[in-house]
Amino acid sequence: MSYKAIIHVGNNWYSFGTSNGQDVQGASSTKLQGEWERFDGPILAIDEAEWVGKQATYGIWAPDVYQRGSDKKFIMYFSAFDKEKKDHRCIGAAISDDIKGVYHPESDFVQCNRTASGAIDPSWFKDDNGKQYVVYKTEIPQNWLEIREVNNSGPKEGVEWAGNAQKLLQMGSQGFDDGGNMEAPYIFKRGDTYFLTYSTHVTMNESYDVQYATAKSVTGPYTRVKKPLLETTNDFGCKLIGPGGASFQQDSGDQKSTKMILHGLTEAMDINKRVVYTATVQVDGDRLSVGSD
């Protein structure tokens, strides 16, 4: 279990994440560092998605949520097993009037990357010019982080592709050793710099981390930063093991910081029993650092 998405609406923080493969899980809190209350389900009406195949479960994975401007409805991006290539995942979108759901999938919105091994880990980004994008990971053997524009207005805002996919970063690029994995991309902007964050190495052990790259355009080129933003450490008053899957507050009005939510392992190293962390990330030009709170 893990939380990924982070969104601030009204006086509350909301987060959504992977659960049992049959639905997502969600929670809310009045304070990012406060007590979180989980939602009652169902949250995502996955059986309405015509492209989704059901194996042991639907394989729902890594949701992200935002509130669109056209009608204030909420859009959830998610990945689930593909009906056509049953062991691969595709990315879809669903709409809800209420942030807590139920989210109803749009069956004509799908990104499968069937020439590779599927696509997962979608997250949303809105640029200063109003254009909106979904950034995601294509699976091994290609293992690219890609971005694709979506419609930014009207009834199809967020649930209609507006352009072709563009490649951002590939695993092992720019001389980095990524331990055979690059995933969980997320984009936010501060000042004139776009920050593309992602995780590398092995999800279920202490090698997992949060890294980032920077660019002056949302589509790149992105330059990878050598020092990870977060890795296994005891520096924050706790034993942080295998941090990853980070999401960030998109627009805080503060160009010098952003809020972050992420998951980490316990000493049991059980990927199904991960814990959630929140933090403040300081922004200094094109460099990020994690604060002590």
Side-chain angles (χ1 to χ4, degrees):
M1 316 291 182
S2 64
Y3 285 97
K4 178 181 182 292
I6 180 174
I7 177 173
H8 191 247
V9 178
N11 296 318
N12 290 326
W13 292 92
Y14 296 88
S15 184
F16 298 83
T18 302
S19 182
N20 57 9
Q22 301 181 65
D23 198 1
V24 302
Q25 60 177 326
S28 65
S29 176
T30 57
K31 296 181 180 180
L32 191 64
Q33 293 85 7
E35 294 293 326
W36 288 78
E37 181 178 350
R38 291 183 64 167
F39 305 160
D40 294 327
I43 297 175
L44 174 62
I46 190 62
D47 57 326
E48 297 176 9
E50 296 175 1
W51 57 268
V52 173
K54 183 178 180 180
Q55 282 67 270
T57 70
Y58 292 107
I60 302 169
W61 198 260
D64 191 36
V65 171
Y66 86 99
Q67 186 176 26
R68 66 185 185 185
S70 57
D71 55 12
K72 302 304 180 183
K73 293 185 178 183
F74 296 91
I75 307 299
M76 175 180 287
Y77 298 110
F78 63 94
S79 49
F81 284 130
D82 182 10
K83 183 184 292 185
E84 183 174 317
K85 294 186 73 173
K86 294 184 177 181
D87 56 344
H88 298 167
R89 286 185 173 93
C90 301
I91 289 168
I95 303 175
S96 176
D97 294 327
D98 188 322
I99 191 169
K100 295 182 179 181
V102 175
Y103 287 83
H104 299 279
E106 294 282 295
S107 284
D108 59 351
F109 182 95
V110 62
Q111 172 77 343
C112 286
N113 214 41
R114 290 187 171 111
T115 57
S117 299
I120 63 170
D121 295 348
S123 61
W124 172 84
F125 174 74
K126 183 177 181 178
D127 209 346
D128 296 336
N129 59 10
K131 289 186 176 182
Q132 298 180 29
Y133 302 86
V134 176
V135 60
Y136 55 90
K137 168 200 176 181
T138 64
E139 291 275 52
I140 294 170
Q142 292 188 355
N143 204 168
W144 280 88
L145 305 184
E146 295 187 350
I147 192 169
R148 192 172 179 185
E149 186 179 352
V150 294
N151 195 318
N152 61 38
S153 63
K156 284 293 188 178
E157 179 184 348
V159 294
E160 182 178 68
W161 297 113
N164 295 322
Q166 299 181 64
K167 297 183 184 303
L168 299 180
L169 280 181
Q170 188 175 28
M171 178 184 69
S173 61
Q174 300 179 27
F176 279 67
D177 176 8
D178 296 318
N181 185 36
M182 175 185 277
E183 61 187 15
Y186 201 92
I187 292 177
F188 68 94
K189 186 181 182 184
R190 290 295 183 270
D192 64 350
T193 301
Y194 296 85
F195 295 91
L196 169 61
T197 69
Y198 51 92
S199 290
T200 67
H201 291 82
V202 182
T203 312
M204 65 281 294
N205 70 32
E206 67 278 356
S207 68
Y208 206 52
D209 59 15
V210 179
Q211 300 196 35
Y212 68 101
T214 64
K216 297 303 180 183
S217 168
V218 67
T219 56
Y222 281 88
T223 300
R224 302 180 67 175
V225 176
K226 290 183 178 181
K227 180 178 173 58
L229 177 60
L230 273 178
E231 54 190 338
T232 297
T233 182
N234 292 313
D235 288 349
F236 301 107
C238 63
K239 189 169 185 179
L240 181 64
I241 305 173
S247 296
F248 298 79
Q249 185 182 10
Q250 291 280 3
D251 182 11
S252 66
D254 180 359
Q255 295 298 300
K256 297 296 184 181
S257 70
T258 182
K259 301 297 184 182
M260 174 177 63
I261 192 167
L262 68 150
H263 57 70
L265 294 163
T266 67
E267 291 189 26
M269 297 293 181
D270 185 345
I271 194 173
N272 295 311
K273 295 182 180 180
R274 289 179 287 190
V275 292
V276 177
Y277 298 91
T278 62
T280 298
V281 176
Q282 304 299 326
V283 181
D284 184 8
D286 61 356
R287 292 295 181 266
L288 303 176
S289 60
V290 177
S292 60
D293 62 341

